[in-house]
């Protein structure tokens, strides 16, 4: 099977591609290796993927229509796992254009590529952020999601609508993946676990937003990869006949841990693992942030027979072990 994974230099894309390669699949990777965070981390991830003979990589921007059309025609992938995007809620307040370029125009080029080459299943990254300030917990895929708190969330919701439309018009089987705060080895330097670890080790202040009352359904990377892996081989079927009259073969699924944790508890587990207290600076909630996330994973379980299961203590411990090994004494 030929699989295109976009965002292969990124955190989730790297892990997904590695798992596929270890299973003997042929993987075509695409990433523009932008400098949103340390490009050395991206280069290192790619170096590890290049150790596999069946890995082929294109440094390309998904926002470049001509390049993407050409790539799809050349590769003609059976499956597409689309993870390239401008991530990050807070950065979307500072740099909104990066989000429309990569997450809207870029996503359209992925959909067009799928349409033109008859891809059998498109899986694409959405986000728990589409739930906005939803008060009904846990978050279910059937909850209304009309009030995004950030432009980032709005682009992810737009992706779901765009994918639905292409699925409706052209019958493209598509699955939107609402990830919930993914963490683990090789994780993103802009995310809490990484910034907290770095600050604690350096003896620098740790900024604890929403005075530590924030609640997040932290989801371990291996569980996310397992969920994607199981979903990849399946494909949503149109219901009640083929589109445009039947329901299009499009679905949206949460991939979360269903075990939300308060930020203060998260920090305490990390302090214990590092055997060092944090220099805590309590701050108000930041614009764009939501107070709580909590995934219902019943739909994921019904579809795949799998629920994420890694306890937060185990996941944090594995991250810290990786971090200390990766940075050695430098503690970047
Ligand atoms: P990441 O930033 O580590 O990976 C994204 C990759 O996409 C990066 O390597 C980047 O260089 C690449 N990229 C960005 N714009 C591009 C473009 N225009 N062309 C080509 N490549 C481009 O982020 P991640 O944490 O691995 O996230 C993967 C996906 O999952 C993203 O769509 C993100 O929005 C979504 N997501 C992540 C989380 C999480 O907790 N990590 C939560 C919800 C959703």
């Amino acid at each position: 099977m030929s699989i295109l994974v976009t965002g292969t230099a990124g955190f989730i894309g790297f892990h997904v591609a590695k798992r596929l390669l270890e299973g003997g699949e042929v993987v075509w990777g695409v990433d523009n290796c932008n400098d949103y965070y340390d490009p050395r981390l991206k280069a290192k991830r790619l170096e590890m993927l290049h150790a596999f003979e069946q890995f082929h990589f294109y440094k390309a921007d998904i926002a470049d229509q001509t390049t993407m059309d050409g790539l799809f025609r050349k590769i003609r992938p059976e499956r597409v796992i689309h993870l390239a995007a401008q991530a990050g809620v807070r950065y979307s307040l500072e740099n909104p254009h990066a989000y429309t370029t990569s997450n809207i125009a870029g996503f359209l080029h992925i959909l067009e590529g799928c349409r033109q080459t008859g891809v059998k299943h498109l899986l694409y990254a959405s986000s728990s952020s589409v739930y906005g300030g939803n008060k009904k917990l846990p978050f279910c895929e059937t909850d209304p999601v009309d009030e995004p708190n950030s432009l980032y969330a709005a682009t992810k919701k737009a992706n779901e609508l765009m994918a639905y439309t292409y699925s409706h018009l052209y019958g493209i089987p598509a699955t939107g993946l609402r990830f919930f705060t993914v963490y683990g080895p090789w994780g993103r330097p802009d995310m809490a676990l990484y910034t907290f670890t770095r600050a604690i080790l350096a003896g620098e202040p740790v900024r604890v937003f929403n005075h530590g009352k924030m609640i997040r359904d932290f989801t371990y990377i291996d569980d996310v990869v397992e969920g994607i892996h199981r979903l990849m081989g399946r494909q949503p079927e149109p219901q009640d006949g083929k589109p445009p009259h039947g329901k299009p073969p499009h679905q949206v699924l949460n991939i979360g841990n269903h075990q939300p944790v308060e930020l203060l508890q998260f920090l305490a587990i990390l302090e214990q693992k590092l055997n060092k207290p944090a220099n805590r600076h309590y701050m108000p909630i930041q614009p764009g942030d939501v107070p709580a996330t909590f995934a219902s994973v019943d739909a994921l379980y019904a579809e795949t027979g799998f629920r994420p299961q890694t306890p937060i203590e185990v996941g944090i411990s594995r991250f810290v072990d990786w971090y200390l090994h990766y940075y050695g004494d430098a503690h970047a």
Side-chain angles (χ1 to χ4, degrees):
M1 181 155 58
S2 148
I3 305 165
L4 170 63
V5 182
T6 70
T8 23
F11 170 38
I12 303 175
F14 158 70
H15 282 281
V16 167
K18 186 162 163 291
R19 165 81 183 262
L20 292 168
L21 291 163
E22 283 166 351
E25 303 285 3
V26 175
V27 174
W28 302 81
V30 170
D31 202 298
N32 68 354
C33 303
N34 68 25
D35 62 359
Y36 170 59
Y37 59 76
D38 188 358
R40 286 172 301 178
L41 191 60
K42 296 185 181 182
K44 196 77 196 159
R45 294 179 185 134
L46 285 178
E47 195 184 302
M48 289 178 66
L49 296 179
H50 278 300
F52 294 86
E53 261 178 28
Q54 339 83 275
F55 181 60
H56 310 277
F57 180 70
Y58 293 98
K59 185 170 179 191
D61 196 319
I62 58 164
D64 180 338
Q65 184 187 350
T66 313
T67 302
M68 290 314 290
D69 281 354
L71 272 179
F72 266 90
R73 272 200 304 274
K74 180 174 177 183
I75 302 169
R76 303 197 85 81
E78 272 181 52
R79 319 255 158 192
V80 175
I81 305 177
H82 174 56
L83 300 164
Q86 180 56 57
V89 166
R90 289 179 199 141
Y91 189 65
S92 73
L93 279 76
E94 297 159 25
N95 201 340
H97 297 289
Y99 291 78
T100 49
T101 306
S102 293
N103 302 8
I104 302 296
F107 189 65
L108 176 63
H109 301 152
I110 298 293
L111 290 173
E112 272 294 301
C114 292
R115 179 180 73 82
Q116 287 168 22
T117 57
V119 164
K120 291 207 174 80
H121 192 182
L122 163 68
L123 296 105
Y124 64 94
S126 181
S127 164
S128 62
S129 65
V130 300
Y131 289 105
N134 192 8
K135 299 266 185 316
K136 189 180 144 290
L137 300 174
F139 297 165
C140 287
E141 291 87 346
T142 46
D143 293 347
V145 287
D146 304 323
E147 297 176 359
N149 275 19
S150 66
L151 185 70
Y152 169 69
T155 62
K156 291 295 176 181
K157 175 65 194 166
N159 287 171
E160 293 180 1
L161 293 170
M162 291 163 76
Y164 178 93
T165 309
Y166 265 61
S167 190
H168 166 76
L169 286 174
Y170 309 116
I172 298 170
T175 301
L177 310 164
R178 290 181 179 167
F179 299 137
F180 283 66
T181 320
V182 188
Y183 74 103
W186 298 98
R188 266 183 26 217
D190 60 321
M191 293 183 70
L193 182 54
Y194 201 109
T195 57
F196 286 7
T197 302
R198 194 168 82 161
I200 293 172
L201 290 170
E204 289 170 3
V206 169
R207 295 187 305 161
V208 186
F209 293 116
N210 200 17
H211 306 280
K213 295 290 169 207
M214 205 114 87
I215 290 168
R216 287 288 175 274
D217 203 358
F218 293 99
T219 310
Y220 190 63
I221 183 67
D222 290 0
D223 290 329
V224 171
V225 171
E226 181 65 27
I228 294 174
H229 203 259
R230 289 185 185 220
L231 285 165
M232 189 193 65
R234 308 172 60 82
Q235 61 193 48
E237 297 287 338
Q239 287 165 22
D240 310 323
K242 287 197 169 161
H245 304 302
K247 199 170 174 296
H250 176 261
Q251 62 182 349
V252 169
L253 293 169
N254 292 339
I255 302 193
N257 206 43
H258 193 66
Q259 299 286 334
V261 175
E262 206 178 69
L263 202 52
L264 286 179
Q265 187 194 347
F266 179 81
L267 192 51
I269 297 167
L270 180 60
E271 288 172 321
Q272 196 178 24
K273 171 69 184 174
L274 291 169
N275 199 19
K276 196 173 172 191
N279 174 8
R280 300 169 182 214
H281 278 217
Y282 293 103
M283 318 259 297
I285 194 164
Q286 298 294 289
D289 274 358
V290 300
T293 65
F294 182 1
S296 159
V297 285
D298 291 348
L300 177 70
Y301 185 73
E303 186 74 19
T304 62
F306 170 74
R307 291 178 205 277
Q309 48 211 347
T310 307
I312 188 79
E313 293 82 1
V314 173
I316 287 182
S317 177
R318 287 186 193 153
F319 171 81
V320 170
D321 290 345
W322 166 80
Y323 187 98
L324 295 176
H325 180 259
Y326 183 73
Y327 287 111
D329 291 333
H331 294 160

